Amino acid sequence: MTAGGLSGGLASLRGVGKIHQAQLAKLGLVTLEDLIGFFPRDYEDRREAKPIFQLIDGETTCIRATVAVASSGGRLPGGRPMVRTRVFDTTGMLNITFFNNPYVKNKLIPGKEYDFCGRVEARGGYKSMVNPEFEPAGGNKISGRILPVYRRTEGVSRNLLMQLTRQALDAARGHYLEPLPPALVEKYRLPPPEWAYEHVHYPETPEDIHQARRRLIFEELLSFCCALQFLRAGEAGETGQRLSIHDPEEFFAVLPFSPTAAQKRAVAEAWADMCSGRRMNRLLQGDVGSGKTLVAAACAFLAAQNGKQTVIMAPTELLANQHARTVCELLSPHGISVGLLTGGMTAAEKRKIKAGAAAGELQVLCGTHALLQEDVSLPTAALFVVDEQHRFGVRQRAALGQKTADAHLLVMSATPIPRTLTLILYGDLDISVLDELPPGRQQILTYVIGEEKRARMYSFLEKQAREGGQAYIVCPRIGDDGAESGKKAALDYAAELQRKLPALRIGLLHGRMKGTEKERVMAAFSEGILDVLVSTTVIEVGVDVPNATLMVVEDADLFGLSQLHQLRGRVGRGSRQSYCILMSEDPSEAAKQRLSTLARTSDGFEIARADLQLRGPGDFFGDRQHGLPAFHIADLAGDMRVLQAAQDEAKDLLTRDPRLAACPLLRKRVDEVIDKTLENALN
Ligand code: ADP
Ligand code: MG
């Protein structure tokens, strides 16, 4: 961001010793540039002092008041030192107590005015503050201004960080360079870098914060979007195995149903890629039940017609099993052989499959993602299909290494992600969308109910079973794992339900069961031998049993909306009316509101948008595994509009100047982003 001279270490700053250096390093702060780029995560507006009269219990605020009496020192029974004093302004009195800080006694001089900031307690007519920060009135260090709030770490106080960022900013003054093209600075009316860095740390008004952040966020997102474009351009140039085209009707004609227009389009797009001589990098996005598997099978068909192998990877054994079954049904009429490899198989079984794959006898190999870690040899692999993976872009591809050197890649996802985020997560992929469900699917009636209607839910469950339907009941956890008690556990639940409803045939499925066991239960459910399947979220993705008509989710408020939408997608696959019942004990308005989104709409994209807004991108994609880049200042949920603009501008910029020759500083940033991205991919 600046011209030379600031890459020096922090040792040059006043107030930084060895210990502080180590503590600051924990925050990633090693150079002056790091400090300048260590943005506050929030702000505290302390510009106004409040009259004592107006103070409310529990609020954190500032007052300006005169010390009324000499402070009295003392000790609590436990030996902790304590200092008490009393202050006043023209509107009232306030008691102040300090613990563990005997020195304040000499700092507060009766008759003098100070600014105090802290949490107010107001009880029974008395107002007080405990351990407030204070300074002589008008000192403007801790009051009378907007203060930055930094991420904290052991031993590094706000005070220290403020001292240090102040020094770093002073040292940088006059050295800032503009990385953005002047046209963009003008178009978006962005403040200059020096102003932005100064004011993001030390704003005078809320508007300053807004303007400073706007510039820095734009800069960050633009660099990121340019990096994605570069990566993508690199990929696009890579050669892939050139397959020869076939008549798709040969594949479609043998299907048990006619493909939707969206499926036909997606197949045409993927086949065109595979026959182009360039490597296919395609994301197939479609809501649950839109029929993505068929598109994958069609691509495997084309590969097989060309004498090539396909690998289909799923996140769970359950899904890998199902894929093997479905794909086998779709491809065996064409004489294509399909095999399955999962972690749960015996060594002998695995050896047999691997031998078949190595000999080229197996044309399609289904398995879990772990499959890739295994030493599977696929002499003629031309296509990798990755199913139900939230993210699979350049990074994951890099991790696959040689296996996919010139093989085509089809990534399938049922998580409907807003377009802007798709570009962030899969910016390097082309996208096909299945925006149409197979005909005859009906609306799944969705209800949010509380504990008081549990009995009714059970009788509804019985009724469904009597009428020949089947039900899933999803619990948030498996068994009594102690820490998470309070949530419904599948193990106990299944036993309890069997006692309550002895007539029903109830099965149990969870992630800790052995692969073969899971398979047995799942097979029993899909053959209709079980009426009810009590399960954890292992059935979340992909599982397909057309006869299932009821989905009950216990403690539904513990799940994300998109996840619930996925769960709901397990029913409504046949011709019968299907239902989804979301049980929730959380009576809060927020929880009800959130869940009612699902009752209102079945549009996965709308649900994803709501989810993203409510929970933020981190939670949306599930903890740390979301694969989203760590931004310094941008926030993907909040800064969606800027992201959109940055994407458009990056595209525009690179069309006119593909190497960013005219913006060397921006280019440097973009290279840094790329390095970091690839680095993350490899560990
Ligand atoms: P998803 O996109 O969720 O992976 P699947 O591929 O599992 O969806 O398909 C869901 C169900 O729809 C399957 O039972 C499949 O056989 C069926 N299906 C797929 N395409 C069609 C179609 N064109 N017409 C009717 N049923 C279809
Ligand atoms: Mg699927």
Side-chain angles (χ1 to χ4, degrees):
M1 81 198 60
T2 51
L6 288 175
S7 50
L10 300 183
S12 63
L13 298 180
R14 267 174 293 121
V16 180
K18 277 255 164 356
I19 295 177
H20 277 148
Q21 268 185 61
Q23 288 162 336
L24 290 165
K26 271 198 198 141
L27 290 169
L29 305 177
V30 178
T31 66
L32 294 189
E33 284 229 18
D34 294 339
L35 262 181
I36 294 173
F38 188 66
F39 302 124
R41 65 169 174 74
D42 202 357
Y43 300 87
E44 248 180 82
D45 191 344
R46 295 187 176 179
R47 286 174 300 167
E48 299 273 329
K50 232 178 161 184
I52 290 175
F53 170 68
Q54 286 181 8
L55 297 182
I56 303 165
D57 186 44
E59 73 176 326
T60 298
T61 188
C62 294
I63 59 164
R64 175 166 295 180
T66 305
V67 175
V69 295
S71 313
S72 62
R75 280 185 187 279
L76 289 177
R80 279 207 297 164
M82 178 179 75
V83 175
R84 283 173 183 282
T85 188
R86 189 178 304 162
V87 303
F88 64 92
D89 67 7
T90 55
T91 69
M93 285 283 223
L94 181 98
N95 293 321
I96 297 184
T97 311
F98 294 93
F99 293 111
N100 296 327
N101 194 355
Y103 310 104
V104 296
K105 198 170 164 205
N106 307 322
K107 288 195 194 154
L108 290 172
I109 300 161
K112 291 218 160 172
E113 210 178 24
Y114 298 85
D115 290 322
F116 298 91
C117 299
R119 190 166 177 281
V120 176
E121 283 177 34
R123 280 194 209 116
Y126 291 98
K127 291 178 176 168
S128 62
M129 280 185 179
V130 175
N131 288 340
E133 294 176 73
F134 68 93
E135 66 183 350
N140 273 3
K141 278 208 167 65
I142 57 113
S143 65
R145 60 189 286 185
I146 297 177
L147 281 189
V149 178
Y150 295 103
R151 192 150 51 86
R152 292 281 286 279
T153 201
E154 183 88 32
V156 184
S157 65
R158 160 156 65 196
N159 248 330
L160 178 67
L161 276 170
M162 283 181 65
Q163 277 176 40
L164 299 183
T165 48
R166 183 66 269 156
Q167 291 180 64
L169 286 165
D170 290 345
R173 196 166 293 149
H175 292 292
Y176 291 91
L177 298 172
E178 173 62 83
L180 300 176
L184 288 185
V185 174
E186 188 160 329
K187 178 171 173 187
Y188 292 96
R189 300 182 180 281
L190 300 172
E194 179 159 333
W195 190 94
Y197 283 103
E198 175 67 32
H199 288 82
V200 80
H201 289 284
Y202 299 108
E204 280 159 28
T205 64
E207 178 62 12
D208 286 354
I209 302 175
H210 175 67
Q211 293 300 342
R213 282 180 49 88
R214 215 166 54 82
R215 124 85 58 176
L216 298 168
I217 289 168
F218 186 82
E219 241 181 78
E220 180 165 48
L221 291 178
L222 185 75
S223 312
F224 183 77
C225 292
C226 285
L228 278 182
Q229 299 263 344
F230 270 139
L231 287 169
R232 182 175 175 154
E235 287 268 317
E238 284 180 50
T239 48
Q241 300 183 27
R242 184 192 293 277
L243 306 186
S244 22
I245 197 74
H246 253 258
D247 179 4
E249 283 312 318
E250 204 178 309
F251 174 75
F252 291 141
V254 189
L255 293 175
F257 37 68
S258 40
T260 63
Q263 283 170 322
K264 282 189 157 172
R265 195 174 53 231
V267 170
E269 287 165 351
W271 282 23
D273 288 353
M274 294 167 72
C275 300
S276 68
R278 287 183 302 107
R279 188 164 71 175
M280 169 163 78
N281 270 307
R282 187 166 288 279
L283 168 68
L284 176 62
Q285 223 187 26
D287 213 340
V288 283
S290 57
K292 292 183 290 294
T293 318
L294 182 142
V295 179
C299 292
F301 169 82
L302 183 68
Q305 296 305 317
N306 279 268
K308 305 283 186 182
Q309 290 171 306
T310 296
V311 177
I312 301 181
M313 289 175 286
T316 63
E317 296 200 3
L318 211 66
L319 267 191
N321 266 300
Q322 182 181 294
H323 278 322
R325 232 177 304 129
T326 319
V327 172
C328 185
E329 267 166 40
L330 294 172
L331 295 181
S332 57
H334 303 280
I336 299 170
S337 60
V338 179
L340 173 71
L341 184 64
T342 62
M345 292 166 62
T346 66
E349 286 171 319
K350 280 189 194 165
R351 249 198 319 277
K352 185 158 159 254
I353 292 290
K354 284 183 195 172
E361 289 157 13
L362 270 183
Q363 287 154 298
V364 179
L365 184 58
C366 299
T368 48
H369 294 302
L371 192 67
L372 284 171
Q373 261 75 59
E374 304 241 354
D375 52 336
V376 188
S377 141
L378 298 146
T380 66
L383 171 64
F384 282 77
V385 178
V386 181
D387 191 20
E388 301 294 359
Q389 181 85 319
H390 281 332
R391 51 171 188 145
F392 200 93
V394 168
R395 285 167 269 194
Q396 286 66 39
R397 161 149 232 156
L400 282 183
Q402 280 310 303
K403 275 210 171 101
T404 63
D406 63 350
H408 301 287
L409 178 67
L410 181 68
V411 177
M412 307 200 289
S413 171
T415 309
I417 308 168
R419 204 183 76 85
T420 36
L421 274 187
T422 314
L423 283 160
I424 289 284
L425 281 169
Y426 301 105
D428 51 322
L429 301 180
D430 296 309
I431 299 176
S432 295
V433 181
L434 295 185
D435 51 5
E436 178 186 2
L437 294 180
R441 292 280 161 77
Q442 4 97 5
Q443 184 82 8
I444 300 162
L445 297 176
T446 302
Y447 306 94
V448 182
I449 66 173
E451 207 46 42
E452 73 282 358
K453 294 204 178 127
R454 177 167 295 279
R456 279 181 63 186
M457 185 271 278
Y458 286 146
S459 50
F460 187 68
L461 178 67
E462 279 186 299
K463 179 163 167 278
Q464 287 293 308
R466 251 198 328 272
E467 291 169 4
Q470 288 169 281
Y472 296 99
I473 302 182
V474 174
C475 298
R477 64 191 185 95
I478 299 177
D480 245 330
D481 349 77
E484 294 183 287
S485 59
K487 299 181 191 175
K488 296 268 178 320
L491 283 173
D492 303 339
Y493 191 99
E496 169 96 18
L497 189 67
Q498 190 68 79
R499 263 198 305 281
K500 282 204 181 106
L501 308 174
L504 295 187
R505 296 164 301 172
I506 298 170
L508 175 67
L509 187 73
H510 59 73
R512 264 193 245 138
M513 284 162 53
K514 274 223 235 43
T516 45
E517 224 180 318
K518 274 192 269 188
E519 214 177 303
R520 217 166 23 80
V521 174
M522 204 55 227
F525 187 68
S526 80
E527 284 159 26
I529 296 169
L530 294 172
D531 301 308
V532 181
L533 187 61
V534 176
S535 144
T536 55
T537 51
V538 288
I539 55 135
E540 178 185 346
V541 284
V543 173
D544 187 31
V545 177
N547 195 46
T549 50
L550 172 62
M551 165 63 67
V552 178
V553 184
E554 292 287 350
D555 295 323
D557 42 275
L558 298 176
F559 296 87
L561 291 184
S562 286
Q563 201 181 5
L564 290 171
H565 177 64
Q566 294 280 331
L567 287 170
R568 175 170 64 178
R570 299 303 113 225
V571 298
R573 299 185 152 235
S575 50
R576 258 194 271 206
Q577 177 61 54
S578 293
Y579 305 87
C580 175
I581 299 180
L582 304 172
M583 302 290 296
S584 169
E585 279 180 71
D586 184 345
S588 73
E589 206 42 50
K592 271 192 225 143
Q593 276 256 327
R594 205 167 75 85
L595 293 176
S596 68
T597 309
L598 284 160
R600 207 173 48 238
T601 177
S602 57
D603 178 344
F605 281 89
E606 191 183 329
I607 291 165
R609 250 192 316 273
D611 208 9
L612 192 62
Q613 254 159 26
L614 289 166
R615 296 195 299 157
D619 287 335
F620 178 77
F621 293 104
D623 296 339
R624 254 176 290 287
Q625 292 306 310
H626 50 62
L628 288 173
F631 288 111
H632 268 295
I633 188 163
D635 157 18
L636 289 180
D639 300 322
M640 209 66 119
R641 294 236 310 277
V642 190
L643 178 59
Q644 187 70 64
Q647 267 161 6
D648 295 345
E649 296 301 347
K651 217 178 219 163
D652 191 51
L653 208 56
L654 291 174
T655 316
R656 281 182 287 115
D657 179 3
R659 312 227 61 81
L660 290 177
C663 320
L665 273 178
L666 181 62
R667 175 65 206 249
K668 188 163 156 269
R669 285 259 189 111
V670 172
D671 285 342
E672 283 163 12
V673 175
I674 293 176
D675 288 348
K676 219 187 239 153
T677 304
L678 292 175
E679 193 181 302
N680 285 345
L682 298 173
N683 50 37

